[in-house]
Amino acid sequence: MKYSLLVAFLIVSLTGFAQNKVINPGAVWPDDKGNHIQAHGGGIIKIKDTYYWYGEERAKGLDPNYRYVSCYSSTDLMNWKFRGDVVKMSDPENLGEGWILERPKVYYNKPTKKYVMYFHLDTKNYQYARVGIAVSDKPDGNYTFVKSFRPLGHQSRDIGQFIDDDGTAYLVFEDRELGFHIVKLANDYLSVEKEMSLVRMPLEGGAIVHYKGLYYSIGSALTGWDPNPNKYATAKSLEGPWSEFKDIAPPDTKTYHSQSTMMLKVVGTKSTTVIFMADQWKPDAQWDSRYLWMPLEIGDGKLWLNQPKPWSIDVKTGEHKFIKQ
Ligand code: DGJ
């Protein structure tokens, strides 16, 4: 038996499951227990050397009276350990049957040492349009509901998270009346301090990255669970002005059948990779919704998502490589 095969055999027999050596966009993504990762509409934070991925837990067989947020941890972005459902919440504000908790995002607040989760809280008909906040002392929960509100008085549905290189925390939210807001969080992250930009574009799945002196923002059009061509704009400052929006991929691919949720910047010793994180929703089988993660081609004001294919990343060097097929 070849040495590599022997090692793989030993890993599988000792741990029960094989290590993921690649990220395969759109494929089933097994966690440490071999279950497809449930972290839809998710977001990631890095604490020391560990990445935490939070998202909508939509596994089969959940109690329909509750909404769940899952947490996974990883040190290589390819292998994820299920840390549990860090939110199991019953209707917090008498929102009624079919109430909604979507797109959870967690920030770590240094002054208070609290993990602060933002999420989209809504009624079944999406008319409540608020953000909810839950807090925890540890990254992997449990998170306790604190309150809900409309940021700066505006309706808020999809939210996105952005932490700048200097650690400042921002929230992106979609407001059907006005557009795409980028707001700065207050010092304790429990409220919104001020508006940085209002981009008058109807954009969901908002995401931002700061790369080589330029801010790039991404969003999708408003087509429910159906994919559409996601677009990007750039600005030298979060306060704008923002450039016109352009396609991030050939429009007929509808973002390779996906919707943005975050851009993750991995800064290593040799290189920086910006990962486009997106959801491939399956509205009739949400537990089987997939993730499309791909390194972006980015720089000099341009951003492009290539045809998805398997790849791997070295989080130490920041380098990624595509796997020959
Ligand atoms: C699009 C949003 O991006 C999703 O988070 C979800 O709210 C769906 N709409 C619901 O149709």
Side-chain angles (χ1 to χ4, degrees), residues 41 56 58 100 102-103 120 126 157-159 174 176 204-206 220-226 259-260 279 281 283 286:
E56 298 160 22
R58 291 180 178 273
I100 283 155
E102 287 179 348
R103 295 188 177 266
H120 170 195
Y126 285 95
R157 290 185 178 83
D158 275 14
I159 59 164
E174 185 265 322
R176 218 136 292 194
E204 290 190 324
S220 77
L222 277 55
T223 55
W225 299 113
D226 296 334
Q259 182 187 25
S260 55
D279 296 284
W281 299 110
Q286 289 288 27

Side-chain angles (χ1 to χ4, degrees), residues 103 204-207 218-220 230 258-262 276-279:
R103 295 188 177 266
E204 290 190 324
I218 282 191
S220 77
N230 293 190
S258 75
Q259 182 187 25
S260 55
T261 186
M262 177 172 253
F276 175 69
M277 289 169 50
D279 296 284

Side-chain angles (χ1 to χ4, degrees), residues 115-323:
Y115 292 83
V116 181
M117 180 186 292
Y118 274 69
F119 50 85
H120 170 195
L121 182 68
D122 224 321
T123 45
K124 189 180 179 178
N125 61 5
Y126 285 95
Q127 292 309 302
Y128 197 51
R130 287 176 166 240
V131 289
I133 293 185
V135 297
S136 168
D137 293 328
K138 291 184 286 144
D140 54 357
N142 281 335
Y143 288 79
T144 315
F145 181 71
V146 178
K147 61 178 175 180
S148 81
F149 61 97
R150 284 191 164 188
L152 302 174
H154 301 296
Q155 42 175 282
S156 168
R157 290 185 178 83
D158 275 14
I159 59 164
Q161 163 181 34
F162 172 57
I163 301 170
D164 209 341
D165 299 335
D166 64 2
T168 312
Y170 301 92
L171 180 77
V172 174
F173 66 94
E174 185 265 322
D175 164 7
R176 218 136 292 194
E177 253 171 31
L178 298 175
F180 180 87
H181 297 263
I182 302 167
V183 293
K184 180 172 180 279
L185 299 185
N187 285 343
D188 61 4
Y189 296 174
L190 295 179
S191 62
V192 165
E193 186 181 301
K194 65 168 180 176
E195 178 146 281
M196 306 301 294
S197 274
L198 165 63
V199 185
R200 290 187 181 271
M201 276 280 285
L203 289 177
E204 290 190 324
I208 297 179
V209 70
H210 190 180
Y211 184 76
K212 296 195 175 164
L214 211 54
Y215 293 91
Y216 295 73
S217 73
I218 282 191
S220 77
L222 277 55
T223 55
W225 299 113
D226 296 334
N228 56 62
N230 293 190
K231 297 193 182 299
Y232 80 97
T234 59
K236 287 197 183 116
S237 152
L238 276 184
E239 287 165 306
W242 290 89
S243 70
E244 59 166 333
F245 279 81
K246 295 186 190 133
D247 287 316
I248 72 165
D252 58 330
T253 69
K254 298 189 176 168
T255 323
Y256 299 103
H257 211 91
S258 75
Q259 182 187 25
S260 55
T261 186
M262 177 172 253
M263 283 183 282
L264 182 66
K265 185 165 78 166
V266 181
V267 182
T269 50
K270 292 191 185 154
S271 186
T272 295
T273 291
V274 177
I275 305 173
F276 175 69
M277 289 169 50
D279 296 284
Q280 294 186 316
W281 299 110
K282 295 193 184 179
D284 299 327
Q286 289 288 27
W287 58 89
D288 192 34
S289 292
R290 306 292 171 86
Y291 312 97
L292 187 151
W293 284 24
M294 271 288 286
L296 286 167
E297 265 184 37
I298 186 169
D300 300 324
K302 295 199 172 59
L303 181 153
W304 192 249
L305 172 65
N306 280 315
Q307 166 93 42
K309 50 181 174 249
W311 59 288
S312 66
I313 185 157
D314 180 333
V315 295
K316 299 260 167 356
T317 65
E319 294 168 311
H320 65 265
K321 58 173 188 253
F322 291 100
I323 311 301

